[in-house]
Amino acid sequence: MEDKDRTRLIEIIEKFKEDGLISVLQKIQDVFNYLSPETIVMVSKYMKMPLSKIYGVITFYHHFSLKPRGKYTIRVCKGTACHVKGGEENLTRIKRLLSIKEEEVSEDFVWGLETVACVGACALAPVVMINDEYYGKMSLHKTELIIDHYKAIEKTGEYVKYEDKVS
Amino acid sequence: MKIRSVNELSEYRERIVKSHNPKKTTISICNGAGCLALGAKTLSELFENDVKKRNLDIEILKTGCPGFCEKGPLVTIFPQGIFYSKVTSDDVSLIIDETIIKGKIIDRLLYEDPNTKEKIKKVSDVPFYKKQTRRLLSLNDKIDPTNISHYIQYNGYSALSLALFIPQDEIIKEVKKSGLRGRGGGGFPTGMKWEFLKKENASVKYIICNADEGDPGAFMDRALMEGNPHLILEGMIIGGYATGSTEGFVYVRTEYPLALKHITIAIQDAEKLGFLGENILGSGFSFKIKVREGAGAFVCGEETALIASIEGKRGMPRPRPPYPIKSGLFGKPTLINNVETFVNIPYIIQNGGDDYAKIGTKTSKGTKIFALAGKVKNTGLVEVAMGTTLKEIIFEIGGGILGEREFKAVQLGGPSGGCLSSKDLDIGVDYESLILKGAMMGSGGMIVMDETNCMVELARFFMEFVQNESCGKCVPCRIGTRKMLDILTRLTKGKGKQEDILELKRLAKLIKESSLCGLGQTAPNPVLSTINNFPEDYRVHIEEKFCPLCKSKGVFPVRHFKPEEPKKE
C-alpha cells in the first residue's frame, strides 16, 4: 500500500470510528473498491478490535467484498416480482454473454456479477442494476442491448447514458 | 437561519406560500427509482435544457415516486394536472411546443384505460389513483423531496409545532385512540409501544426508524423515503418528544442509494432550520437523528438484529425478553417503528385520533400502502383503506391480469407471508383476516401470479431466499430450512415422493415452533399456504413427475459448458 493510500485510510477510520465498524468498512470499500487484508489489519489496529471480529462482520453482510470488484458491477434482482417475471432467465443470459458466474468477477476485472435480494423497483420487474444505474423491464433482447452498450463504453472509454427505446 | 418559535414557523410558511404562484406552469417529473430505471434522469435534464434554451418561465419539479411505476416515466403538468405517461426523450420538445406553449393536449401520451379504451387527461381521473385513499402518498407528486420549503409549504412540520406544546400523555392518548398498529408487519399497537418507552426511567432513550425494507416485493418505504423524507422525520421527532427520547436513528438498507441520499439531505435541512437539534421551536425539547446504512442482510429487519447491526456487530437476533423497550441499543431503552408507522403520526396529531380511526376495519385502522407487482396490468404503489378487498386492489386498481390470462394466486407479506387463491379474493385486507387465511400483512408486498406460475417453484424460491438469509444462529432455522429447500428442489425436478408433503408439514411445524426469531418462525408460511391452497400443483409434481410450468420457466437446469482445455496426461 502506498503512503498516500495509507493516510487516506487512517483518515477514514478516524472520521467514522464513532459511527461503528460497519460504517467504517462501508466507507473504505467505497473508496478502495474492496476490503483487502492490509486494510482490515489497519482497521483492527486503529479501532483496537480483534481481526476475528472484523472478519466476522465482513463475512456476515452481503455488501462487503474481500475480493476486488469489477469496474461494472451488474446486480441482478432476485426479488419475488422479478422471479415470477423471468429474472432467472435474464441472469442465465448475462452469465452466458459475459462468461462469468454469480458473485464472480471477470479475469480482466471489468465485469462483476452479483445477485441482490430486491432493489425495490418491483413494478418494473425484471430489474438489473449496473453500478448505480437502474434498468427496468428487462426483456432478454434489452439485456443484450444494454450489455453491448456497456461493452462499447468500455471500448471507447467514453461514458454515454443508455437510451431506452425498447420498453 | 433557525426557526425558533411556532409564530416564526407560520411566518416562514406564509412567505413561502406568498412567493409561490399556484398558477405558474410546472412540469413535474417523477424521479423515483422506478422511473429512473426507465430513463427519467435524462428526461429531466432534457426538459431543463429546453426550458432554459427558450427562456420560458416554467418550473421543473423533480418529485419522488407517486406510485404508478408501470407507466413511467411519468410527467404531470400543473396547474391543469395533465398526466402524460411513458414519456421518452423524443417527446420533450413536443410537450413544450404543443402543451406548454399552445395549450394543446397530446393524445398519444395520455393514459389509456385498458378496459374502456378511453384516453384520460387528468391525473385525478386515472382509475389507478381514483380508487385509492391517498393520505401518506398525497404529496409525492407535488414536492421536491430535497427541498424542505416545499414540505413546509404544504403544512409540513405544523403537526410538530402542535405536538411540542401539549403534554406527552396527550399525544400518546391520541396515537392510542387512532388505533394505529405497526406497519412493519407485526401489527403491535403503536400507542402502547410509545407508552412503554415513556414509562422507562432512563437518561438516554433511543428511537429507531426501521427502513430496512428487506422483503422482496415491497417498496413503499423506499418511495416514502425518496419522495417525502420530512414526513418520516416529523413523525420521528414527535415520537421522540412523546416518549422522552434523546436520539433517533434511521436504519436504511444499502440497496436504496437514492433513499439514503434524500433522508440525509432532509436531516441536514431540518437541522439548519432548527426542527432538529437543541430547543426545537423554543419548546425546550432537543432531539437529533442519525442515519445508519445497512450492509445487505435481510435478517436485520428483525429488531434485535437491527440493533446489533447499528452497534457495528454481525446482525444476529437475540432471544427476547429483555425486549428492546427495556434494553435495546447500547443497552438503553429503545423503540423501533417502521417507516410507514412514523408517517402516519403527523396526520394523527393534526386531525386527532378519532378522525384517523374513521376509516378502516374494527381491528385495523387507517390506510395501508401495498406494493402491487407481478402479473397485473397496473403495477405500483397502492394506498387503500384497511378492509379493501383483494379483488378491488387487484382487478379495479391493478386493472386485472396481464395478457388476458387467468388469475392464479396472490402472494402477500413476502417470505413470511403466504399465497392466497381465487377463493380468498373477497376478503378485506386487515391484520387478522389475512393471518386467518394463512397469509400475513407483512410489510405490504402484494405479488400477483397468473396461470403460468408454478406454486411449488414459488415455494422453493422463497425457501431458497430464507435459507440464504438465515443468520445461522439457531439450528431449526439453519438446518430446517435447508431440509425443506432440498425437498422442494427435488419436487420441482420431478423427483418427489408422496411422503414429501407430510415431511414438509412436519418440518414446518418444528421450525415455526422452535426458531429464535421471526425470520425462522414465519419461514415455512409460503410452503404451508401453497400446500393448502394449491394441492393440485403438488400432485402434478409428485404423481406425474413433470410440470409443464416449471419446464417452460427453465427451472430444469440448462447448462452451458465452456469448452475446457484438454488435460495434459
Side-chain angles (χ1 to χ4, degrees), chain A residues 16-23 25-27 30 49 52-64 75 77-89 92-93 95-96 98-102 104 107 115-125 127-129 131-138 142 146 159 161-167, chain B residues 33-39 41-42 46 69-72 86 88-90 214-219 222 226 251 253-258 290 292-300 305 308-316 372-376 379-380 402 411 414 447-449 453 457-458 460-462 464-465 468-469 471 552-554 558 560 562:
Chain A
F16 294 100
K17 218 159 138 175
E18 289 298 299
D19 297 352
L21 175 65
I22 292 175
S23 303
L25 294 174
Q26 274 164 339
K27 294 292 178 296
D30 285 349
M49 251 182 215
S52 58
K53 191 181 165 185
I54 298 170
Y55 191 75
V57 167
I58 294 171
T59 50
F60 183 84
Y61 295 100
H62 295 294
H63 185 65
F64 295 127
R75 294 187 182 88
C77 180
K78 282 184 90 169
T80 322
C82 292
H83 180 78
V84 300
K85 279 191 163 178
E88 213 51 50
E89 290 142 59
T92 314
R93 179 66 56 104
K95 281 189 206 167
R96 216 178 347 151
L98 300 171
S99 17
I100 47 174
K101 293 197 191 89
E102 275 166 66
E104 273 193 4
E107 280 169 21
T115 52
V116 199
C118 178
V119 298
C122 318
L124 305 171
V127 181
V128 170
M129 273 180 92
N131 292 348
D132 280 343
E133 297 280 359
Y134 290 87
Y135 296 99
K137 298 189 186 178
M138 298 288 280
K142 193 170 159 183
I146 289 175
Y159 180 76
K161 199 163 162 18
Y162 176 79
E163 265 282 332
D164 193 356
K165 299 279 187 218
V166 187
S167 55
Chain B
C35 284
L36 287 179
L38 299 170
K41 200 170 164 185
T42 320
L46 288 170
C69 316
E70 168 66 29
K71 297 281 177 270
K86 292 196 173 179
T88 64
S89 49
D90 303 340
D215 276 10
F219 51 97
R222 177 182 65 71
E226 283 174 7
Y251 184 86
R253 58 194 295 241
T254 183
E255 290 87 345
Y256 288 174
L258 193 65
K290 288 181 182 160
R292 285 287 179 275
E293 190 182 336
F298 173 68
V299 72
C300 286
S309 184
I310 294 184
E311 289 172 349
K313 300 174 186 148
R314 288 168 72 100
M316 301 269 220
L372 193 60
K375 305 278 181 78
V376 274
T379 53
L402 272 176
Q411 207 282 339
I447 291 162
V448 179
M449 278 155 279
N453 290 110
E457 160 53 22
L458 187 83
R460 188 206 61 79
F461 162 79
F462 275 117
E464 182 183 56
F465 176 83
N468 273 333
E469 295 293 344
C471 79
S552 65
K553 283 275 170 293
V558 185
H560 302 283
K562 267 201 319 194

Side-chain angles (χ1 to χ4, degrees), chain A residues 74 76 86-87 89-98 113 126-128 130 135-151 162 166:
Chain A
I74 303 176
V76 180
E89 290 142 59
N90 243 334
L91 181 65
T92 314
R93 179 66 56 104
I94 294 172
K95 281 189 206 167
R96 216 178 347 151
L97 286 170
L98 300 171
L113 181 61
V127 181
V128 170
I130 302 185
Y135 296 99
K137 298 189 186 178
M138 298 288 280
S139 58
L140 291 178
H141 174 59
K142 193 170 159 183
T143 303
E144 283 186 21
L145 288 178
I146 289 175
I147 297 282
D148 285 346
H149 179 80
Y150 273 84
K151 279 183 174 167
Y162 176 79
V166 187

